[in-house]
Amino acid sequence: MNSHDPFTLALSLILSGDPGLFGIIGLSLQVSLSAVLVASLIGLPLGAAIALFRFPGRGVAITLLNALMGLPPVVAGLLVYLSLSRAGPLGQFGLLFTPTAMVIAQTLLVLPIIAALTRQAIEDLWEEYREQLQSMGSGRARAIPTLLWDARITLTTAVLAGFGRASAEVGAVLIVGGNIEGVTRVMTTAIALETSKGDLPLALALGLVLLALVAAVNATAYLLGQASRRHMQ
Amino acid sequence: MRHPRRWPSLASLLLLLATPSAQVTADRPFITLASTTSTEQSGLFRHIVPQFTARTGIEVRVVAVGTGQAFAIGRRGDADALLVHHRAGEDAFVAEGYGTERRDVMYNDFVLVGPRADPAGVAETRSIQDALAKIAASESAFASRGDDSGTHRKELQLWGMAQIDPAGQWYRQLGSGMGPTLNTAAGMDAYVLTDRATWLSFGNRQNLMILFEGEASLFNPYGSIPLNPARFEWVKADLAQQWHAWLVGKEGQAAIAGHHIDGAPLFFPMSEDRAGRVE
Amino acid sequence: MSGLPPMAGQHPLLELRDVSFVRSGRVLLDRSNLALAPQGRTVVIGPNGAGKSLLMRLAHGLLEPSTGAIVCRCNGSAAPRQAMVFQRPVLLRRSTIANVTHALALSGVPRRLRRGQAERALARFGLADLAQRPARILSGGEQQRLALARAWALEPEILFLDEPSSALDPAATKAVEDAVNVFHDKGTRIVMTTHDLGQARRLADEVVFMCGGRILEHSPASSFFDAPATGAAATFLRGELVLDPHEPATLPATRR
């Protein structure tokens, strides 16, 4: 059965219904989607607020946000590790080597993407809408939900970009999660493990499964978008 | 507005996915074991941990990293016990008060692996020092882990014994685990020092084969160390002690001996506690 | 119902007192005074760059004047409701009716009343059939009518319009003018700018003529069109280029 063709292997892995594999897939989705959810809850209003309000150091904040889109995952992982370690400031919560730590680390990676892209989208929209919204009595704060909804298509792409980053990274979840079998092993760390064991066909097959997973999430988002657009007509 | 009707279904879906895996929350007692990549990749834990859990009901969560990192994790109190293979480091760890005690658990050996063509002529040598000297003299490619792991420390010790300071284009420091280092060595037809367990379970050998083995200095002992509760009050000292005792006891030793790949054992039990020979 | 310039003994509804606007050292609107009576349709005309749109935005409160104050008084309450319609309609990416309910929400109308008021506003301007359509796919004329319907739903006491039909074809233009009269008939104060003199003649009760950042004339429509008081206005009405008798003043560097 051990075919060396990664496509066949990937398919047989999925069809086999192997509980270990599906546990890993489930955890990968949970961690990345949770991170994206938290990052969106913070990043969308944060990006909009930075877009709309003038404050000292605004330019620095925008530059920093943009720069952090490129935060290396392994650095983010290291920072979270040092914070959550027993010897660190947040050690008393005992969160190291748990999925929660992984969600925290990935949120750190996804948040700048969502906030920075939101900031740009909302700033452009505000230019267009400012006078009319002000005429109708909407101050900047009140305009935030209006603009976020209006930019929903662009923002969905930003959120999907964040999800892509979360599902793709291995450095952060490896350090803070420890790649513990059955507990903190996700698709990317499993792929890294199989690669380091030299089982390259299996690693590649897992990679294809991961790609299919991410594609499925994106396809779902796209279909939901299409459905809601048809609903409007 | 039409859209509010969409929200409940989307929200509940997201909420369902957002709560990290319930299987992880500790209803079962567990310990965190910092061990090495070589041990994990050999599949040892998959073989012996279920037996321990069946006996005691305690889960063992293995964080597999390089030996240097395992000691670092231990020094920060982020684990409950260690299972590593660097005697000097283990003794220091206990002496500095981070661990309670150190016990022998098992051993295997290191082997020198290299390209079939053997450009340095290592296969005919009689000692590991000679082998390394020939590699250095012929400047044949040598892949070093370079990551402060047990294997890396052993490798440096052997260079030291041969009184050679390896440097130059041929000596490639990779900063990787055993598996990636083997991958790279296979890719560049380089010599590499590896532990036998990882080698036996490694799937990407390409042109590589064992060229030198069997010498006493290649002996690779593993030690278990429970973390010191006096130093780290949160450590699950009792659970860790159960693991430690089981490992060196009859059952654990038998479990270790029973772990094979293609009929060959990967580790040899070594504790003084085990009664009699085990097959 | 013709409106009269402020000297008719009524309290003005909207006053600009000594208002000027300076940006980057350039005086875009020189110290101006203007008082608008509670009723009528005021049309602001003048050559490009005269400051008409600027005046509107200052009067509506979208910009802060550099000097002076905008004083608004209506029935004792400090802030009369105002609405503004722009040359290009600004609509949200949602349905036609949702654009109106959003405006109603902003003005504090309770949720249960919004839909009904919105539907009535759309019906008043012939947009009832388009209620569910995405506002952005409406034609230019329909979008501008939607902007007007949205303003209508807010029941403003003053309606500002900044060149509302410049971008529209003749049929849509007529629809906009009819809509303006709907507001006027209800008693809404109209203040609009236009560069279409025919439109100005059709709609104006009084005219404000601006040139080079200054208000040069403010008089009833009939007297303005028949006999403008200033040469610049006369030139403008003849359709000729007005060479500014006064250039916009540039402040010397020291004063800032």
Side-chain angles (χ1 to χ4, degrees):
Chain A
M1 205 270 265
N2 250 339
S3 163
H4 280 255
D5 161 27
F7 289 94
T8 320
L9 190 52
L11 201 56
S12 65
L13 278 173
I14 299 177
L15 293 177
S16 72
D18 174 57
L21 174 66
F22 278 79
I24 291 177
I25 292 177
L27 185 64
S28 304
L29 281 176
Q30 281 180 355
V31 168
S32 297
L33 287 174
S34 303
V36 167
L37 182 67
V38 175
S40 300
L41 287 174
I42 302 175
L44 290 171
L46 177 66
I50 295 180
L52 295 181
F53 291 96
R54 295 277 171 277
F55 51 90
R58 180 174 184 271
V60 172
I62 292 176
T63 308
L64 199 61
L65 218 51
N66 288 343
L68 285 174
M69 286 201 284
L71 178 65
V74 70
V75 173
L78 191 56
L79 290 173
V80 175
Y81 174 87
L82 292 174
S83 309
L84 296 180
S85 162
R86 288 282 182 184
L90 301 175
Q92 74 260 36
F93 299 110
L95 288 174
L96 196 60
F97 304 137
T98 65
T100 306
M102 297 158 79
V103 172
I104 293 174
Q106 290 205 335
T107 303
L108 236 56
L109 291 171
V110 174
L111 178 59
I113 293 182
I114 294 184
L117 295 178
T118 301
R119 201 261 331 151
Q120 185 65 63
I122 300 302
E123 207 167 294
D124 293 341
L125 269 189
W126 183 239
E127 272 315 294
E128 192 189 333
Y129 288 153
R130 187 174 43 85
E131 286 190 323
Q132 185 69 78
L133 286 178
Q134 283 176 339
S135 167
M136 298 192 295
S138 168
R140 286 165 201 260
R142 175 58 182 89
I144 288 180
T146 307
L147 294 174
L148 285 176
W149 178 250
D150 215 74
R152 58 194 176 280
I153 297 179
T154 305
L155 296 183
T156 302
T157 305
V159 169
L160 288 173
F163 174 72
R165 176 159 227 237
S167 0
E169 73 87 19
V170 66
V173 287
L174 189 57
I175 295 184
V176 306
N179 199 16
I180 300 171
E181 187 175 12
V183 179
T184 56
R185 186 164 296 171
V186 291
M187 290 299 287
T188 48
T189 56
I191 292 170
L193 179 61
E194 294 306 325
T195 306
S196 71
K197 282 161 73 175
D199 193 345
L200 303 184
L202 180 58
L204 198 51
L206 288 175
L208 291 173
V209 173
L210 179 58
L211 281 175
L213 204 60
V214 174
V217 172
N218 276 270
T220 310
Y222 180 74
L223 291 172
L224 283 177
Q226 294 294 91
S228 80
R229 213 166 309 169
R230 259 177 279 127
H231 222 36
M232 276 264 275
Q233 239 75 325
Chain B
M1 262 213 337
R2 238 132 295 317
H3 302 275
R5 259 179 290 159
R6 280 232 130 62
W7 290 127
S9 46
L10 228 110
S12 49
L13 177 70
L14 285 174
L15 218 56
L16 188 69
L17 293 166
T19 40
S21 178
Q23 82 220 24
V24 162
T25 48
D27 344 294
R28 301 182 79 169
F30 69 92
I31 56 165
T32 302
L33 177 71
S35 186
T36 66
T37 48
S38 55
T39 345
E40 210 212 12
Q41 285 176 21
S42 68
L44 177 74
F45 293 116
R46 256 199 200 164
H47 182 84
I48 70 174
V49 166
Q51 300 183 44
F52 173 72
T53 308
R55 160 68 61 191
T56 61
I58 304 172
E59 272 183 27
V60 179
R61 297 191 182 171
V62 180
V63 179
V65 291
T67 298
Q69 195 181 347
F71 282 128
I73 289 178
R75 270 190 282 271
R76 298 179 72 91
D78 286 327
D80 300 302
L82 304 183
L83 178 63
V84 289
H85 59 129
H86 187 248
R87 187 58 193 264
E90 295 161 28
D91 290 336
F93 193 79
V94 174
E96 287 161 21
Y98 294 107
T100 340
E101 65 159 5
R102 184 222 166 264
R103 295 283 293 272
D104 280 324
V105 176
M106 63 202 187
Y107 69 92
N108 62 7
D109 57 335
F110 290 103
V111 296
L112 183 64
V113 151
R116 212 166 291 271
D118 193 11
V122 151
E124 303 98 45
T125 57
R126 316 246 66 211
S127 77
I128 187 66
Q129 279 103 308
D130 288 344
L132 291 179
K134 283 196 144 186
I135 293 173
S138 62
E139 297 198 344
S140 308
F142 185 93
S144 163
R145 281 186 62 174
D147 66 346
D148 197 28
S149 56
T151 307
H152 182 229
R153 293 181 183 196
K154 172 60 101 179
E155 181 213 315
L156 292 177
Q157 183 197 18
L158 293 173
W159 286 114
M161 278 163 49
Q163 296 189 320
I164 300 174
D165 181 22
Q169 283 275 46
W170 57 274
Y171 183 68
R172 313 274 167 87
Q173 299 218 61
L174 301 178
S176 319
M178 197 68 252
T181 304
L182 284 171
N183 275 330
T184 310
M188 25 179 202
D189 268 348
Y191 291 90
V192 56
L193 186 74
T194 170
D195 65 284
R196 190 185 295 271
T198 306
W199 175 252
L200 285 176
S201 56
F202 183 68
N204 183 30
R205 296 176 185 182
Q206 296 185 43
N207 253 347
L208 300 180
M209 56 183 284
I210 298 180
L211 294 175
F212 188 91
E213 59 183 323
E215 196 182 286
S217 53
L218 294 176
F219 181 59
N220 180 27
Y222 286 75
S224 169
I225 305 175
L227 255 66
N228 185 3
R231 183 79 178 239
F232 309 111
E233 59 195 8
W234 52 81
V235 151
K236 297 169 189 164
D238 173 54
L239 302 181
Q241 183 55 36
Q242 289 188 50
W243 160 256
H244 182 68
W246 182 86
L247 258 191
V248 301
K250 195 160 68 149
E251 253 194 54
Q253 295 284 292
I256 290 170
H259 180 48
H260 297 165
I261 283 193
D262 297 331
L266 293 163
F267 298 95
F268 299 94
M270 158 166 145
S271 158
E272 315 80 44
D273 272 14
R274 63 187 173 92
R277 288 271 307 158
V278 282
E279 297 307 326
Chain C
M1 188 164 36
S2 66
L4 299 166
M7 285 65 87
Q10 302 164 301
H11 282 300
L13 175 61
L14 182 69
E15 263 192 274
L16 274 67
R17 292 185 188 163
D18 221 28
V19 167
S20 74
F21 192 79
V22 179
R23 177 163 286 165
S24 307
R26 285 178 63 86
V27 180
L28 299 174
L29 181 71
D30 209 353
R31 288 175 186 277
S32 300
N33 288 281
L34 183 68
L36 298 174
Q39 279 94 37
R41 297 166 294 182
T42 303
V43 179
V44 182
I45 59 176
N48 282 340
K52 309 188 293 293
S53 292
L54 183 58
L55 187 75
M56 300 271 289
R57 282 164 169 76
L58 286 165
H60 184 37
L62 293 179
L63 291 173
E64 284 292 307
S66 305
T67 67
I70 321 279
V71 180
C72 212
R73 224 175 285 116
C74 182
N75 297 336
S77 73
R81 285 185 306 283
Q82 308 175 20
M84 184 156 179
V85 171
F86 297 86
Q87 181 177 350
R88 294 203 179 281
V90 178
L91 302 170
L92 298 173
R93 283 184 185 86
R94 41 183 92 177
S95 71
T96 298
I97 190 167
N99 269 276
V100 184
T101 53
H102 170 257
L104 289 171
L106 284 180
S107 77
V109 172
R111 183 180 292 273
R112 60 197 151 77
L113 299 176
R114 288 179 208 157
R115 198 179 177 81
Q117 292 185 11
E119 283 170 348
R120 281 193 291 282
L122 289 181
R124 192 75 185 75
F125 292 85
L127 295 169
D129 290 340
L130 302 173
Q132 300 309 327
R133 296 268 184 88
R136 293 244 171 173
I137 67 170
L138 266 46
S139 74
E142 288 165 341
Q143 287 190 344
Q144 197 62 298
R145 273 191 285 142
L146 173 56
L148 287 158
R150 176 173 63 189
W152 176 261
L154 298 176
E155 298 180 356
E157 285 154 292
I158 310 176
L159 178 65
F160 293 90
L161 303 106
D162 189 11
E163 306 211 16
S165 56
S166 303
L168 303 177
D169 66 29
T173 299
K174 177 163 191 325
V176 168
E177 292 179 11
D178 290 344
V180 169
N181 284 325
V182 166
F183 278 91
H184 174 65
D185 290 339
K186 196 184 176 209
T188 309
R189 187 70 169 85
I190 304 287
V191 183
M192 72 182 272
T193 66
T194 183
H195 61 242
D196 179 349
L197 286 178
Q199 182 173 84
R201 284 179 202 272
R202 284 192 292 276
L203 292 181
D205 296 323
E206 66 171 12
V207 171
V208 171
F209 176 74
M210 292 185 70
C211 190
R214 289 191 168 86
I215 298 177
L216 293 188
E217 292 196 43
H218 178 196
S219 46
S222 46
S223 55
F224 178 82
F225 288 114
D226 293 340
T230 60
T235 313
F236 181 72
L237 285 176
R238 281 198 301 275
E240 289 166 21
L241 264 179
V242 180
L243 302 167
D244 292 324
H246 323 272
E247 279 182 53
T250 308
L251 292 172
T254 46
R255 274 184 73 187
R256 270 247 161 255

